[in-house]
């Protein structure tokens, strides 16, 4: 079998530099004595007063999750930790609506981005074709990842703020054989929500051997994803958004079909760390409550993941999704009453966990976000490279939504309204 070698680069890519510049538009104020009165302490939280982080991730965390992050040092192969890890992997199945044991859940040290590497290194062999549905910034990044591992991505791009239509997808699938189709369920740069169920059904009808890959980083825990019923092959996510756990894990579920495709590879996976060959037996063993080792798991993050999953699953997921939908409707209606427009303009295809909002004419991000931040609310600037300076983003996920005693969005919407007026905007 041949070996694949990666080549180092001496310079940072322009796309990486651009992403860093765009992400720096998140504005977190330094705390001074004059600003201390703007810090918020939620009624139901024991946390110290702090600016409310209401961006599309990371989100606010519950006290129980933060306490779990403070778990004392513990061996990653101790009986106590094996029990915790096994329970977390089992509960992830419930989050994904999965009962088919041919599939496997994973929780691995890394960022959500690592999920892309698992897809590109394990499910796509060099030279194989991938159809990347583009509804914003993150499709560009996923396509770049696929190309890095030798795959051949074809992007099917929607206009900014719109979806890729089923007709366009069907046409593309009939023109060429694709190993995978990738879908960003919610693109965090635009707030566009894709219809995973309908797209997956179309792929199965037109090209049944094509694997359906879902980037659910900004959707898992907010939007319905029925892994088994919708016949999906891999859904990847990260903990710091609606799952409500500090960053540090790459979380995903892979179908039995996807794992069989991996096992049938002609060449070994093109990554050492992001390899199903290394990680599949580890996850299977931990879920079976057996200690196992390839690379040390982040013990405290796994404790926090279990704490959060127990909270999430303590109520029916349908109720959780409905709560996020109600908050989304409220925020979007209020923003519209201010005379502002969303980036995601197609009704029914707007995310329930975030809202991307165009700035009014005459108001720039430096005029608005610092004013909002001075009121103790941290929002995010634009990320889509074509319109980055023209809009801002509100995250409404997790405990800020589900804890009905919190007043996070009362404060946020008031701060936006007051700051717009201060910046000279008349409603």
């Amino acid at each position: 079998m041949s070996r694949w070698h990666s080549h180092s680069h001496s310079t940072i890519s322009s796309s990486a530099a651009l992403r860093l510049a765009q992400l720096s538009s998140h504005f977190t104020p330094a705390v001074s004595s004059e600003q201390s009165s703007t810090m918020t302490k939620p009624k139901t939280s024991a946390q110290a007063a702090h600016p409310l982080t209401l961006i599309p991730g990371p989100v606010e965390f519950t006290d129980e999750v933060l306490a779990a992050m403070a778990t004392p040092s513990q061996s990653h192969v101790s009986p106590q930790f094996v029990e915790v890890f096994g329970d977390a992997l089992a509960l992830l199945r419930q989050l994904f609506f999965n009962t088919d044991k041919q599939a496997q859940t994973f929780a691995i040290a890394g960022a959500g981005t690592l999920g892309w590497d698992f897809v590109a290194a394990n499910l796509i062999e060099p030279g194989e074709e991938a159809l990347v549905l583009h509804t914003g910034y993150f499709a560009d990044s996923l396509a770049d990842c696929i190309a890095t591992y030798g795959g051949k991505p074809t992007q099917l791009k929607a206009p900014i703020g719109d979806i890729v239509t089923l007709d366009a997808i069907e046409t593309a699938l009939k023109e060429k054989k694709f190993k995978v189709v990738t879908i960003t369920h919610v693109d965090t740069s635009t707030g566009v929500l894709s219809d995973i169920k309908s797209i997956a059904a179309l792929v199965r009808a037109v090209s049944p051997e094509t694997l359906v890959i879902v980037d659910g980083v900004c959707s898992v825990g907010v939007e319905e994803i029925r892994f088994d019923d919708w016949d999906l092959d891999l859904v990847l996510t990260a903990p710091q958004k609606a799952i409500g756990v500090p960053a540090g894990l790459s979380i995903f579920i892979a179908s039995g079909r996807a794992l069989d495709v991996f096992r049938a590879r002609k060449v070994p996976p093109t990554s050492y760390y992001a390899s199903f060959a290394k990680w599949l037996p580890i996850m299977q063993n931990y879920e079976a409550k057996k200690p196992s080792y390839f690379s040390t798991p982040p013990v405290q993050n796994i404790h926090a993941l279990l704490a959060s999953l127990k909270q999430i699953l303590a109520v029916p997921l349908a109720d959780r999704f409905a709560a996020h939908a109600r908050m989304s409707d409220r925020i979007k209606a209020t923003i519209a009453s201010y005379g502002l427009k969303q980036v995601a303009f197609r009704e029914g295809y707007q995310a329930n966990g975030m809202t991307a909002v165009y700035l009014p004419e005459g108001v720039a991000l430096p005029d608005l976000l610092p004013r909002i931040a001075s009121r103790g609310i941290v929002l995010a600037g634009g990320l889509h490279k074509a319109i980055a300076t023209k809009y801002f983003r509100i995250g409404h996920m997790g405990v800020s939504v589900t804890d009905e005693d919190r007043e996070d969005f009362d404060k946020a919407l008031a701060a936006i309204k007051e700051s717009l007026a201060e910046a000279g905007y008349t409603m």
Side-chain angles (χ1 to χ4, degrees), residues 341-388:
K341 295 182 179 180
Q342 292 183 60
V343 174
F345 59 81
R346 190 185 286 259
E347 191 171 346
Y349 297 90
Q350 298 162 329
N352 287 307
M354 64 161 291
T355 304
V357 185
Y358 278 116
L359 292 161
E361 190 170 346
V363 177
L365 285 175
D367 297 330
L368 183 63
L369 292 190
R371 297 178 193 277
I372 295 171
S374 72
R375 291 168 165 81
I377 305 294
V378 179
L379 303 184
L383 185 58
H384 193 294
K385 59 187 178 182
I387 55 170

Side-chain angles (χ1 to χ4, degrees), residues 98-182:
N98 163 251
T99 58
D100 180 2
K101 295 299 183 180
Q102 297 302 307
Q104 181 60 51
T105 50
F106 295 74
I108 296 171
T113 307
L114 180 62
W116 297 346
D117 288 74
F118 270 93
V119 170
N122 294 277
L123 301 181
I124 307 169
E125 299 202 43
E128 290 184 329
E129 302 279 353
L131 181 62
V132 179
L133 307 187
H134 186 294
T135 52
Y137 174 93
F138 288 93
D140 286 328
S141 301
L142 178 50
D144 187 20
C145 180
I146 290 169
T148 298
Y149 285 92
K152 297 174 66 177
T154 297
Q155 293 205 56
L156 194 56
K157 294 192 175 186
I160 295 173
D162 204 359
I163 59 167
V164 180
T165 66
L166 292 177
D167 286 345
I169 298 168
E170 183 173 4
T171 298
L173 290 172
K174 288 179 175 178
E175 288 177 348
K176 187 187 294 186
K177 184 68 174 178
F178 291 99
K179 184 69 172 294
V180 305
V181 170
T182 72

Side-chain angles (χ1 to χ4, degrees), residues 290-305:
K290 300 175 184 177
S292 196
Y293 177 74
F294 164 57
S295 176
T296 305
V299 171
Q300 282 66 32
N301 295 69
I302 298 296
H303 273 275
L305 175 63

